[in-house]
Amino acid sequence: MISVGITNEASMTVTKDNTALALVSGAIDVFATPAMISLIEKTATECLQQRLSEGESSVGTYLEIKHSAPSVIGSEVFCKVEITEIDRSRIVFDVKVWDAAGEVGSGRHDRFLVNKERFMKKAVARAEKTTHSALR
């Protein structure tokens, strides 16, 4: 059962592979914003996935974050998501990210609940339409 107030937490260690330099989102060896986004999406996905029926999943549709402080290689970065709103299939999360020194980021993330099979049929149909349009 998905309800307002449910939370989930996850963490990630900052390595050379998830720095701004490695992910080409900057030129410094600190935790990259794209890596933080991945941690947020992972944490929210896991929060929902364990509560969904067979054949259901969720897709990220909106992310508004502030990356407020750097985390150096070797730091453990933590993420907590909390469901703050449910509007039919749209689930809204409050997001907090931190390391041992304090806040690293915060914001909001929305996910929609989908039927995997129907979603993939629409995705394939869209790709086929795009391919045919590109040939003109």
Side-chain angles (χ1 to χ4, degrees), residues 12 15 17-18 31 34 37 42 47 55 67 74 94 96 99 107 122:
M12 174 184 285
T15 66
D17 294 335
N18 58 20
F31 193 50
I37 290 169
K42 172 186 182 288
C47 181
H67 194 163
D94 179 62
K96 296 193 182 335
D99 63 14
K122 287 180 183 178

Side-chain angles (χ1 to χ4, degrees), residues 66-114:
K66 175 176 72 171
H67 194 163
S68 54
S71 297
V72 298
I73 292 174
S75 299
E76 189 77 8
V77 179
F78 302 89
C79 178
K80 180 178 182 179
V81 298
E82 179 178 356
I83 297 173
T84 58
E85 182 183 341
I86 301 171
D87 180 14
R88 295 180 301 265
S89 295
R90 182 174 60 99
I91 313 297
V92 179
F93 293 90
D94 179 62
V95 176
K96 296 193 182 335
V97 181
W98 70 95
D99 63 14
E103 181 181 296
V104 170
S106 61
R108 170 185 157 181
H109 178 44
D110 295 7
R111 299 191 72 76
F112 268 80
L113 303 179
V114 298

Side-chain angles (χ1 to χ4, degrees), residues 13 62 102 105:
T13 302
Y62 181 81

